[in-house]
């Protein structure tokens, strides 16, 4: 009697697998570029602008102030040490400290985020990470929301206060290079999905993220010039000089809307997978917080 | 996969009292009871919740990045320009040089616009290129029918601009000296 049961469950699994594959709709794609060794330096094979923004303290002022060439510095001039003015990111950091101290009165909040002995140094580098208990990959801001809830505080992912706490914690890793391992396990799966999403064409425009950040990179779209997507994930959440504080997922909703695409919920698996993809493309590049963007 | 879905549900953030249409993905920022339907999240200083605003347009009609979204990319359509062009160049200009409508100037330089985009070729002097109206009409309707990898939005296929708007655009471009 045992054998048929196993066989039957195998058959069911096969059907389920087949159905899942068949369900995937046809989508136009922007062809992949070389992502074989994901790191910020990989941009050398994309826009080849890495040489200009690799060392923030060696940025060329002529390039930064040039209307034509500014995009080649990948906005890194908005970060310390090139720009250390007391912008709104610092105000948010102070707010984050205050909230963190309230949340972490017993040390449970930091422990929930994965810190040992309340040591926040390097914690930022552990995200995004796979959580066994949740059986999914999460970003730092998603965990801040979860762990704050356990302390009875609502810090919705993407909200100002959530981002403020993220900046406060992240700044302990300032200068430390991003280094997530996407070569195996759930992070590899997440990276592959994020890569696919980044190149998938959607919305009324039929644009992918890659339409702008690969095909139209360096081109002017009436005053806006898309830059490389390498080295983009070590300065979030960021202070937007027009918009207040913005998390990476909130930025995705902005890019989606600019491209005529319906945005997704903050913290969605899809945005998290794109976050993993972009974080891997920032490997080797140092954390810089608080940061600012135009 | 099941477990993953449960994890997602636990984390999922419901935008206020947002209501979802039954056939749309569950994880888009959308409220069927609002006027424009598509929402965007705005952080508010010293607040632990996001404020959800309406986007200027309902974007849920087209495919999204949601894994639940089963709508395919619409395949390139080959179209025939029937009858006389019957286009109004003045109307065409208003469509082309308007960010909320054709938004052609995002990628193309047009006469009188110092900020014109550089994503596509300039359209200044277009009438001297000698393209037949049918070719220009097809390009705007769906450039992919001419060049499969084209990045220009398929205005006709995706139902962005109605046929008359495209006729007006053709008349406008064919007038550019």
């Amino acid at each position: 009697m045992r054998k048929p049961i196993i066989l039957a469950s195998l058959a069911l699994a096969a059907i389920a697998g087949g159905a899942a594959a068949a369900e995937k709709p046809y989508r136009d794609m922007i062809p992949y570029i070389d992502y074989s060794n994901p790191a910020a330096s990989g941009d050398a094979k994309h826009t080849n602008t890495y040489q200009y923004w690799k060392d923030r303290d060696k940025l060329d002022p002529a390039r930064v102030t040039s209307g034509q060439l500014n995009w080649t510095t990948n906005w890194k001039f908005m970060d310390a040490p090139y720009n250390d003015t007391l912008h709104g990111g610092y105000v948010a950091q102070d707010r984050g400290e205050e909230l963190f101290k309230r949340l972490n009165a017993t040390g449970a909040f930091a422990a929930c985020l994965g810190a040992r002995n309340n040591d926040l140094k390097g914690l930022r580098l552990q995200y995004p990470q796979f959580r066994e208990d949740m059986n999914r990959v999460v970003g730092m801001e998603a965990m801040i929301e979860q762990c704050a809830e356990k302390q009875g505080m609502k810090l919705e992912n993407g909200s100002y206060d959530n981002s403020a706490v993220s900046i406060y914690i992240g700044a302990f890793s300032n200068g430390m290079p991003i280094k997530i391992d996407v070569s195996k396990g759930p992070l590899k799966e997440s990276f592959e999905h994020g890569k696919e999403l980044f190149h998938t064409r959607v919305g009324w425009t039929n644009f992918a993220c890659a339409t702008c950040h690969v095909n139209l990179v360096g081109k002017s779209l009436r005053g806006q010039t898309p830059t490389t997507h390498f080295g983009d994930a070590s300065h979030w959440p960021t202070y937007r000089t027009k918009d207040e504080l913005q998390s990476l997922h909130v930025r995705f909703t902005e890019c989606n809307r600019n491209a005529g695409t319906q945005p997704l919920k903050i913290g969605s698996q899809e945005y998290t997978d794109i976050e993993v993809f972009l974080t891997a493309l920032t490997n080797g590049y140092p954390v810089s917080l608080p940061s600012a963007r135009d | 996969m099941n477990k993953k879905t449960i994890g997602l549900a636990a984390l999922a953030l419901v935008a206020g009292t947002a209501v979802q249409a039954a056939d749309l993905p569950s994880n888009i920022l959308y409220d069927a009871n609002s006027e424009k339907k598509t929402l965007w999240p705005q952080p508010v200083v010293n607040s632990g919740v996001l404020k959800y605003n309406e986007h200027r347009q309902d974007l849920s009609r087209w495919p999204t990045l949601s894994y639940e979204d089963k709508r395919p990319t619409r395949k390139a359509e080959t179209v025939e320009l029937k009858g006389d062009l019957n286009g109004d160049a003045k109307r065409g200009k208003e469509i082309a040089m308007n960010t909320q409508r054709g938004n052609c100037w995002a990628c193309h330089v047009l006469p009188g616009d110092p900020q014109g985009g550089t994503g596509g070729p300039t359209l200044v002097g277009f009438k001297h290129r000698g393209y037949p109206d049918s070719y220009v009409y097809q390009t705007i309707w769906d450039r992919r029918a001419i060049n499969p990898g084209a990045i220009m939005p398929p205005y006709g296929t995706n139902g962005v601009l109605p046929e008359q708007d495209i006729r007006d655009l053709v008349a406008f471009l064919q007038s550019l000296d």
Side-chain angles (χ1 to χ4, degrees), chain A residues 29 54 64 128 197-198 220 257 269 288:
Chain A
M29 301 290 293
K54 159 169 86 157
V64 168
L197 288 173
F198 198 87
S220 159
R257 289 189 302 124
Q269 192 66 57
S288 178

Side-chain angles (χ1 to χ4, degrees), chain B:
Chain B
M1 194 58 218
N2 245 336
K3 261 194 181 163
K4 221 178 200 170
T5 318
I6 293 165
L8 248 183
L11 262 183
L13 304 161
V14 182
T17 54
V19 177
Q20 203 76 23
D23 52 341
L24 286 172
S26 65
N27 60 349
I28 62 175
L29 288 175
Y30 177 89
D31 183 353
N33 287 340
S34 68
E35 193 199 335
K36 304 289 186 184
K37 312 233 182 314
T38 294
L39 304 177
W40 63 275
Q42 183 183 20
V44 180
V45 179
N46 295 345
S47 165
V49 291
L50 284 161
K51 178 171 179 279
Y52 291 93
N53 305 302
E54 290 179 36
H55 183 60
R56 60 181 163 80
Q57 181 190 12
D58 177 3
L59 296 172
S60 68
R61 291 167 47 207
W62 295 276
T64 70
L65 288 177
S66 171
Y67 292 139
E68 297 167 28
D69 203 324
K70 299 304 173 205
R71 293 170 293 183
T73 309
R74 291 183 209 167
K75 294 267 172 65
E77 285 176 9
T78 303
V79 285
E80 201 189 317
L81 176 60
K82 293 199 187 88
D84 289 342
L85 176 61
N86 200 15
D88 179 342
K90 193 165 160 282
R91 261 197 98 237
K93 181 179 179 177
E94 282 158 18
I95 297 163
M97 299 175 78
N98 182 333
T99 305
Q100 324 254 323
R101 298 181 74 190
N103 197 20
C104 315
W105 59 0
C107 291
H108 295 286
V109 176
L110 288 162
D113 176 22
Q115 287 198 76
T118 57
T122 176
L123 298 176
V124 174
F126 190 78
K127 80 173 194 192
H128 302 294
R129 286 179 211 166
Y131 292 122
D133 289 347
S134 58
Y135 174 90
V136 184
Y137 185 80
Q138 173 68 64
T139 287
I140 303 172
W141 189 278
D142 198 329
R143 180 73 182 179
R144 294 173 302 166
I146 295 168
N147 167 16
I151 58 171
M152 182 166 143
Y155 290 93
T157 303
N158 269 359
V160 182
L161 297 177
E163 184 179 328
Q164 188 57 48
D165 284 8
I166 298 180
R167 288 174 181 269
D168 295 341
L169 282 165
V170 174
F172 170 56
L173 297 187
Q174 298 287 38
S175 76
L176 296 180
D177 207 350

Side-chain angles (χ1 to χ4, degrees), chain A residues 233-254:
Chain A
S234 61
H235 63 274
W236 298 90
T238 195
Y239 174 71
R240 296 294 300 278
T241 51
K242 302 170 213 158
D243 261 339
E244 293 302 334
L245 213 55
Q246 188 177 57
S247 76
L248 186 60
H249 289 209
V250 174
R251 172 81 228 195
F252 295 165
T253 69
E254 183 183 338

Side-chain angles (χ1 to χ4, degrees), chain A residues 100-118:
Chain A
F100 178 85
K101 290 199 164 138
R102 259 195 271 159
L103 284 163
N104 202 43
T106 65
F109 180 68
C112 173
L113 290 173
R116 281 201 207 140
N117 306 321
N118 279 324

Side-chain angles (χ1 to χ4, degrees), chain A residues 28 66 73 149 175:
Chain A
D28 278 356
S66 152
T73 61
E149 197 180 315

Side-chain angles (χ1 to χ4, degrees), chain A residues 1-186:
Chain A
M1 231 17 249
R2 257 194 97 173
K3 230 178 188 171
I5 291 170
I6 291 170
L7 268 177
S9 65
L10 265 179
L12 267 178
I15 291 166
E23 260 182 67
K24 207 169 162 180
Y26 168 77
R27 292 288 170 81
D28 278 356
M29 301 290 293
I30 299 294
Y32 292 137
I33 56 172
D34 187 353
Y35 295 124
S36 54
N37 227 332
S41 58
D43 174 71
K45 287 189 192 159
H46 174 32
T47 64
N48 199 20
T49 58
Y50 179 61
Q51 53 185 313
Y52 305 122
W53 48 268
K54 159 169 86 157
D55 298 312
R56 266 194 302 269
D57 42 0
K58 290 192 196 127
L59 284 163
D60 176 2
R63 196 168 276 278
V64 168
T65 49
S66 152
Q68 291 294 310
L69 295 177
N70 173 293
W71 73 273
T72 63
T73 61
N74 203 11
W75 290 95
K76 302 304 183 189
F77 58 94
M78 302 283 290
D79 299 337
Y82 196 90
N83 168 13
D84 224 350
T85 55
L86 207 63
H87 55 71
Y90 291 88
V91 179
Q93 185 182 25
D94 290 346
R95 169 81 177 165
E97 176 171 15
E98 186 194 313
L99 291 167
F100 178 85
K101 290 199 164 138
R102 259 195 271 159
L103 284 163
N104 202 43
T106 65
F109 180 68
C112 173
L113 290 173
R116 281 201 207 140
N117 306 321
N118 279 324
D119 186 2
L120 299 181
K121 195 168 176 206
L123 188 57
R124 175 69 170 73
L125 307 180
Q126 293 174 27
Y127 284 93
Q129 63 177 236
F130 178 71
R131 297 282 306 202
E132 297 273 0
D133 51 345
M134 296 156 77
N135 195 31
R136 63 166 294 204
V137 173
V138 290
M140 170 105 118
E141 290 82 21
M143 275 318 283
I144 288 174
E145 179 180 42
Q146 286 265 309
C147 296
E149 197 180 315
K150 288 186 188 154
Q151 303 305 316
M153 194 188 287
K154 183 165 170 104
L155 287 186
E156 183 179 5
N157 191 350
S159 69
Y160 181 97
D161 280 354
N162 181 306
S163 293
V165 171
S166 180
I167 289 175
Y168 171 71
I169 295 171
F172 283 88
S173 305
N174 262 339
M176 297 168 81
I178 297 283
K179 51 171 178 56
I180 62 164
D181 181 0
V182 293
S183 68
K184 57 183 186 301

